[in-house]
Amino acid sequence: MNALAQSFQGMSRGRLLALGAVAALVVGFFVFATGQVTAPHMTLLYSNLDFDDSGEIATKLDSMGVPYEFQANGTQILVPSERVLGLRMAMAEDGLPGSASVGYEIFDRADSLGTSSLVQNVNMVRALEGELARTIGSFNKIANARVHLVLPRREVFRREQPEPTASVALKMLGNSRLSRSHVSAIQNLVAASVPGLEATHVTVVDNNGNLFSRAALHWGMMREMLRSTLIAG
């Protein structure tokens, strides 16, 4: 011990400073490595958030003691991967978020390769809804959009197959209203993105309850309604 102290005393001031810097770097490296190992793996919770939703979700997470990170200028929020499903349920109970959507980045998760075909199909629909919502939300006069797709499963032995339908809920900027051409553009955009979906089967509404278009009834449904009416008469 005395020999070690004497060796330090025999060193110049410059060598002591260099030795101290090296020791600090080594300690800092081990602290960083330990933090990286023990830090939770962060996964996307929501994307395409507006600032109102970002603030409300952050407040909710703070109250729950959940660590989180913001990315993409606050439009994306990440949380520990093992808590994603529980947090989405908790947020949904409070009606959050109002503007978020998940697109094709849902397939970037490492655990997506081991999921079942059913989960993959559900994720595919969610991703398509999210991508369409982002595109429609970028249009003039529209603050954000939500897209809901109904894609019936094709039955092998069923003569009349149900047709896919879609609805688009819009949040307008101020008192803006859509023209007929804008509504038609939205309907055709959604229809072109979904196999077998016709533009007339896409319903468009806004946050004020204005119905811009109504999905047309499928001919098979109309025939059944007519038959029921005749029988009742």
Side-chain angles (χ1 to χ4, degrees):
M1 192 68 178
N2 291 333
L4 181 61
Q6 289 178 358
S7 64
F8 279 118
Q9 291 177 356
M11 292 182 181
S12 65
R13 182 180 180 84
R15 294 189 64 182
L16 287 174
L17 290 175
L19 185 61
V22 172
L25 288 174
V26 172
V27 172
F29 171 77
F30 280 107
V31 171
F32 174 77
T34 302
Q36 290 294 104
V37 171
T38 58
H41 176 65
M42 307 299 279
T43 302
L44 182 69
L45 178 65
Y46 295 113
S47 64
N48 199 31
L49 293 167
D50 60 24
F51 290 114
D52 291 337
D53 279 339
S54 294
E56 292 183 20
I57 292 174
T59 301
K60 178 75 172 178
L61 293 175
D62 286 333
S63 66
M64 299 172 66
V66 178
Y68 59 90
E69 297 175 4
F70 280 118
Q71 289 186 355
N73 297 322
T75 61
Q76 297 180 355
I77 188 166
L78 287 75
V79 296
S81 57
E82 68 274 8
R83 303 193 62 176
V84 169
L85 294 179
L87 289 173
R88 284 178 179 164
M89 293 177 65
M91 296 298 168
E93 291 178 358
D94 291 344
L96 294 173
S99 63
S101 60
V102 179
Y104 289 123
E105 71 273 6
I106 194 173
F107 297 107
D108 294 338
R109 293 174 51 185
D111 58 350
S112 64
L113 296 177
T115 56
S116 65
S117 59
L118 175 61
V119 174
Q120 287 285 57
N121 290 336
V122 172
N123 286 341
M124 186 63 194
V125 175
R126 288 183 58 203
L128 182 56
E129 290 175 340
E131 294 295 332
L132 286 170
R134 291 174 181 177
T135 302
I136 297 171
S138 66
F139 292 173
N140 292 333
K141 301 181 181 181
I142 299 176
N144 57 62
R146 298 293 297 271
V147 177
H148 304 279
L149 301 176
V150 179
L151 308 179
R153 188 175 62 178
R154 296 288 177 176
E155 300 292 343
V156 178
F157 300 105
R158 188 171 180 176
R159 179 177 299 177
E160 295 181 357
Q161 298 291 348
E163 297 292 335
T165 59
S167 60
V168 181
L170 306 175
K171 181 179 180 181
M172 308 302 297
L173 291 172
N175 296 322
S176 300
R177 286 183 61 88
L178 291 179
S179 65
R180 183 58 200 171
S181 61
H182 283 96
V183 175
S184 179
I186 292 173
Q187 289 180 295
N188 282 280
L189 171 67
V190 175
S193 304
V194 180
L197 177 61
E198 298 181 9
T200 53
H201 291 175
V202 180
T203 299
V204 182
V205 299
D206 69 4
N207 55 305
N208 294 318
N210 297 314
L211 179 63
F212 295 106
S213 66
R214 180 181 288 109
L217 288 174
H218 182 245
W219 169 244
M221 297 174 60
M222 294 179 64
R223 186 172 60 186
E224 290 298 325
M225 292 174 62
L226 180 59
R227 180 185 302 171
S228 299
T229 303
L230 293 175
I231 294 175

